[in-house]
Amino acid sequence: ERLFDLSAAFLDQRPAEGAILDDLRTRRKVPEQADFRAWRAQLREAYRAIEPVNDWWHLPGGQMLRVVITPNAEGGVTYLFDDLSEHLALEGRYNSLIRIQGETLDGLAEAVAVFGSDGRLNLYNHAFLALWSLDARALGEKPHVDAVAAMCRPLHGETSAFARIRHAVTAIGPREAVALRLERPDGRVLDGATQPLPDGGTMVTFRDVTDSVKMQRVLEERAEALEAADRLKNAFV
């Protein structure tokens, strides 16, 4: 009665199914049909069916109904209407949010990976794939952080950095942000960080600082060379 905004007086008259469908059609409470009579006749096939009939009704107002028509053993049918409009709207907004998050992550220069509270990879960006030479298909099954570490091991070697990352991702007690530096065998230097998320997940980021570290080391070596030259000059004098 509430779902279709039917009056109690109308229902008390015990109207036929056709009369109810005609009333709903007049008030645009059934799906738009090019041939309404053929559609109504198709519904009546459920009276002769053996198994329940499942259908979806997309109403003009935007409602989405899941309809199950079950034939009764003693004759007749039972209609079950489940209004999934809000559920589907929430699912659509959730999927849109995930898509926006993914596009936002892909726009970042930093390599980003987001792990869930179960330790499995939920999100990542293209920079993460490129930094660790990973295949997106290998990450499609949401691998555990241990599996991700194993995939990255050819490039990071046997360092303790991923052990700290794993502990940050899978820790049960109080969690804190972790900052670390990782020097790979190929000469690249990465600044990594983990950030606990409100939902129990963990965001892991990597930033390539190879050029700045090399420049810093060159300046330090130059400063040390100048200091050594100065000491040598003073000793000579």
Side-chain angles (χ1 to χ4, degrees):
E1 185 178 343
R2 289 193 302 269
L3 179 62
F4 291 107
D5 193 23
L6 293 164
S7 68
F10 174 67
L11 296 176
D12 287 342
Q13 298 174 11
R14 302 174 64 85
E17 180 191 87
I20 295 177
L21 290 174
D22 287 338
D23 178 75
L24 295 179
R25 181 195 182 193
T26 302
R27 294 184 294 110
R28 303 188 70 199
K29 295 288 187 179
V30 294
E32 297 283 1
Q33 301 294 330
D35 190 342
F36 180 76
R37 289 185 178 182
W39 178 75
R40 185 172 60 183
Q42 183 180 2
L43 286 181
R44 295 189 63 85
E45 293 294 327
Y47 285 86
R48 295 187 291 271
I50 300 176
E51 299 292 334
V53 177
N54 293 275
D55 197 4
W56 289 89
W57 285 14
H58 304 263
L59 304 189
Q63 276 184 300
M64 178 76 72
L65 305 181
R66 184 172 66 90
V67 184
V68 180
I69 311 174
T70 306
N72 301 326
E74 66 276 8
V77 297
T78 299
Y79 280 85
L80 173 65
F81 297 95
D82 192 6
D83 189 352
L84 299 179
S85 307
E86 185 175 354
H87 171 77
L88 293 176
L90 288 174
E91 184 178 358
R93 287 196 292 270
Y94 173 78
N95 291 335
S96 177
L97 178 62
I98 293 298
R99 186 175 64 255
I100 292 173
Q101 286 180 338
E103 293 174 355
T104 302
L105 291 180
D106 284 338
L108 298 176
E110 291 183 313
V112 180
V114 179
F115 295 87
S117 58
D118 58 355
R120 292 188 171 275
L121 182 66
N122 287 338
L123 289 173
Y124 58 87
N125 62 356
H126 290 311
F128 181 76
L129 294 177
L131 183 65
W132 295 105
S133 300
L134 299 175
D135 186 352
R137 290 174 296 182
L139 303 181
E141 298 298 325
K142 296 186 176 182
H144 191 267
V145 60
D146 290 338
V148 176
M151 295 178 193
C152 299
R153 186 168 292 120
L155 289 180
H156 73 73
E158 296 296 335
T159 64
S160 61
F162 267 86
R164 296 177 62 190
I165 292 173
R166 181 190 182 283
H167 181 267
V169 170
T170 60
I172 299 177
R175 302 186 305 147
E176 297 181 353
V178 175
L180 51 90
R181 173 158 289 185
L182 190 155
E183 297 194 26
R184 299 195 326 195
D186 61 1
R188 300 182 74 172
V189 182
L190 310 178
D191 274 350
T194 69
Q195 180 62 47
L197 301 177
D199 62 353
T202 305
M203 181 174 65
V204 180
T205 61
F206 293 99
R207 185 162 57 93
D208 190 341
V209 294
T210 305
D211 293 338
S212 60
V213 169
K214 286 183 177 179
M215 181 61 67
Q216 180 182 356
R217 289 175 178 173
V218 167
L219 292 175
E220 290 175 350
E221 291 173 357
R222 182 178 179 183
E224 292 175 356
L226 290 175
E227 290 178 359
D230 190 59
R231 286 195 300 269
L232 181 63
K233 183 184 70 173
N234 291 336
F236 176 76
V237 172

